[in-house]
Amino acid sequence: ETGVTQTPRHLVMGMTNKKSLKCEQHLGHNAMYWYKQSAKKPLELMFVYNFKEQTENNSVPSRFSPECPNSSHLFLHLHTLQPEDSALYLCASSQVNDDEQYFGPGTRLTVT
Amino acid sequence: GENVEQHPSTLSVQEGDSAVIKCTYSDSASNYFPWYKQELGKRPQLIIDIRSNVGEKKDQRIAVTLNKTAKHFSLHITETQPEDSAVYFCAARISGGYNKLIFGAGTRLAVHP
């Protein structure tokens, strides 16, 4: 698959589980983003990475832990989540000096 | 904090009619305003954007207008078609932050044949 890919596409986890979301971009970009999309709410920016360095943490709870090992990969490590964390988690990428962000298909997360 | 308000939340039109979605933003230094379209079960995709140095931009049936003084911008879709049915999000880039976009809550557009 080209563009921005995300795995898994669907995830159900209990509140005591630990899981990770993966994002990979095949566009040669150097900026990557995590967004949370909840029903009837705006897309919420969570984290921004430019050249593998975190430049934005939008007051995200510590139960969400991002990791960016290189410009092509981005992870979101999850632990002790709450039911209200259930949402669609979208990854995006762009060039640092370009405005257009390309989104992945998202991971639909359900916390039980 | 900075925010973007979007109206209406839902919009229903007949095929061939025009649709207008409006957004207001709070950061007067914002200089980039994209619009994304998200079809059911799919990823958001950029459909048009505008920068603060222009007042209007058009791409076939889609146009965006920007009023910097009033801090609002609008998406106009003419001759709507059923395939235009989707959720549309406006966004504004926040000044002083790297690539930080603040999104509106979205407008669900339904175009009826």
Side-chain angles (χ1 to χ4, degrees):
Chain A
E1 188 174 346
T2 59
V4 182
T5 59
Q6 290 186 244
T7 54
R9 295 293 308 276
H10 300 272
L11 178 63
V12 179
M13 60 185 289
M15 289 189 285
T16 58
N17 291 158
K18 289 184 180 181
K19 296 287 184 182
S20 295
L21 310 184
K22 179 183 176 182
C23 175
E24 183 173 0
Q25 59 93 4
H26 310 268
L27 300 169
H29 290 162
N30 43 36
M32 297 188 79
Y33 315 79
W34 279 118
Y35 288 90
K36 177 183 178 182
Q37 186 175 33
S38 305
K40 299 183 180 179
K41 291 178 72 175
L43 271 163
E44 298 174 57
L45 179 66
M46 301 174 72
F47 301 104
V48 180
Y49 278 81
N50 291 311
F51 300 108
K52 304 187 298 177
E53 299 298 321
Q54 187 182 121
T55 55
E56 189 77 35
N57 177 337
N58 203 24
S59 302
V60 180
S62 59
R63 57 186 184 269
F64 295 92
S65 176
E67 178 190 1
C68 188
N70 54 61
S71 293
S72 298
H73 294 86
L74 185 65
F75 295 88
L76 189 62
H77 304 298
L78 317 170
H79 64 97
T80 59
L81 294 192
Q82 305 298 312
E84 59 264 30
D85 296 323
S86 298
L88 181 68
Y89 288 85
L90 289 161
C91 173
S93 71
S94 74
Q95 294 289 7
V96 170
N97 295 323
D98 194 2
D99 294 310
E100 182 172 358
Q101 296 183 17
Y102 293 78
F103 284 85
T107 295
R108 174 71 60 187
L109 174 67
T110 303
V111 182
T112 60
Chain B
E2 307 298 348
N3 72 301
V4 174
E5 293 190 4
Q6 183 171 347
H7 298 280
S9 57
T10 60
L11 181 58
S12 183
V13 300
Q14 289 297 125
E15 182 177 0
D17 288 350
S18 295
V20 180
I21 303 170
K22 298 181 179 181
C23 290
T24 59
Y25 59 97
S26 58
D27 182 1
S28 56
S30 290
N31 59 5
Y32 174 68
F33 308 91
W35 286 89
Y36 283 82
K37 174 184 180 182
Q38 187 175 26
E39 297 177 53
L40 188 63
K42 296 191 175 180
R43 69 192 74 194
Q45 291 193 296
L46 180 73
I47 56 170
I48 195 168
D49 55 17
I50 192 168
R51 299 182 190 279
S52 56
N53 57 347
V54 298
E56 184 174 359
K57 184 176 178 180
K58 197 171 182 180
D59 182 3
Q60 299 182 345
R61 296 186 298 108
I62 294 172
V64 58
T65 58
L66 172 65
N67 183 327
K68 284 184 62 180
T69 303
K71 291 191 288 187
H72 67 69
F73 56 112
S74 300
L75 178 71
H76 305 253
I77 306 175
T78 58
E79 300 171 32
T80 53
Q81 300 167 3
E83 52 264 38
D84 294 329
S85 297
V87 179
Y88 292 80
F89 295 95
C90 63
R93 184 171 63 192
I94 300 302
S95 61
Y98 280 103
N99 313 333
K100 184 174 178 179
L101 292 178
I102 302 297
F103 282 83
T107 295
R108 183 173 299 280
L109 173 65
V111 180
H112 302 285

